[in-house]
Amino acid sequence: MCAGRCGGAAGAEGRARALAIALAAALLHAAGPARAEPAGGVTAQGVGRATAQAVGWATAQAAELTRQAEARAAAGEADVALSRYLEAVRFDATYGPAYLGLGGLYERAGDLREAERTYTVGLDHVPGFVEGHRARAALRAREGRRGEAIADLEAAVALRGDDAGLLQELAAAYVAAGALPAALGVARRLTALAAQAGDAGRAAAARTQTRALSVLVGEADPVRAGGRDRGPVRRALAAYAAAPARGQTGGPRREER
């Protein structure tokens, strides 16, 4: 049931449908047809500057409306908060925090389907929306949809591959799904990143995690399997696992035993 002044299951369902329609209309309005070329005498540079100013103003309005929505939600005024979030999206359809707030509001109201739809719409409109992937992954994980949650986390890591917290979430998701070799690969990447950053404590924790996963994986680990004579493929995998970025081995490294 919806918090605040929403009342009754039927009323909540009707409001959800109406808000979904309003959100779609707002997005369509924001992505409307391009304007005609300006009349003679207006330079392309002037048009570009005016466009940038308009975009900046729209984003500022979206940020303020999102702030108001958060305050209203904290006060238990869910209906007003929903209205503010939708206004924010109408001003700037690429403003990620508005989608996160709106999706979270739906989640707290128990409408997980509409929450997931909101995150998905945000991912369609916000470039590089890492937090949108994380929010949708968390929702899907709570519903037991581990494969879809992992796909979202993998997409987020593809966008921000040096985020230790995000990599840890992906490793935990792999472990929960029983994909231990994949979790081991992420743990090795965390170890390399921590060592590169000079974070001894984080590097030690990541190495411990790597060793534990390596024991569990055993011969399924393509890096360690086969003993000392690994062959060129396994040696290449070992070098890749030790590098914090694809193809960046940084010279010869001592392989972990």
Side-chain angles (χ1 to χ4, degrees):
M1 297 193 54
C2 186
R5 289 176 287 175
C6 299
E13 184 177 356
R15 284 187 176 87
R17 280 198 298 269
L19 288 166
I21 293 170
L23 176 59
L27 292 173
L28 287 172
H29 176 76
R35 294 182 182 273
E37 290 294 326
V42 179
T43 66
Q45 183 180 8
V47 172
R49 185 163 50 249
T51 300
Q53 290 172 349
V55 170
W57 177 83
T59 301
Q61 292 298 309
E64 172 59 21
L65 286 163
T66 298
R67 185 197 65 76
Q68 293 177 18
E70 291 168 351
R72 295 291 188 171
E77 300 177 26
D79 282 348
V80 179
L82 282 168
S83 177
R84 294 290 189 275
Y85 281 129
L86 289 171
E87 285 185 69
V89 170
R90 183 161 50 248
F91 272 104
D92 185 353
T94 66
Y95 189 65
Y99 293 102
L100 295 176
L102 182 58
L105 202 61
Y106 279 127
E107 285 197 64
R108 291 191 292 275
D111 193 346
L112 300 186
R113 179 179 298 179
E114 194 59 31
E116 182 172 357
R117 179 187 175 281
T118 299
Y119 297 138
T120 300
V121 172
L123 286 164
D124 288 340
H125 288 79
V126 183
F129 196 17
V130 170
E131 296 308 320
H133 280 297
R134 291 177 95 164
R136 193 171 67 175
L139 184 154
R140 288 172 166 178
R142 286 195 294 274
E143 292 191 315
R145 297 154 59 192
R146 288 176 178 168
E148 292 172 275
I150 286 173
D152 262 321
L153 289 173
E154 288 174 340
V157 166
L159 292 166
R160 193 190 296 164
D162 59 350
D163 186 324
L166 185 55
L167 286 166
Q168 192 63 57
E169 288 178 41
L170 179 58
Y174 280 143
V175 170
L180 298 184
L184 177 56
V186 176
R188 285 188 171 123
R189 182 171 176 78
L190 281 165
T191 303
L193 286 170
Q196 186 183 53
D199 190 334
R202 189 155 57 90
R207 280 195 298 270
T208 300
Q209 184 180 23
T210 298
R211 292 191 187 100
L213 285 167
S214 184
V215 170
L216 290 172
V217 171
E219 287 299 305
D221 177 6
V223 175
R224 294 179 63 88
R228 186 175 299 276
D229 185 14
R230 299 175 178 179
V233 174
R234 286 174 180 156
R235 283 197 298 272
L237 286 169
Y240 174 79
R246 182 180 296 274
Q248 180 185 338
T249 58
R253 296 172 183 262
R254 187 182 64 183
E255 296 173 355
E256 184 181 349
R257 295 287 184 262

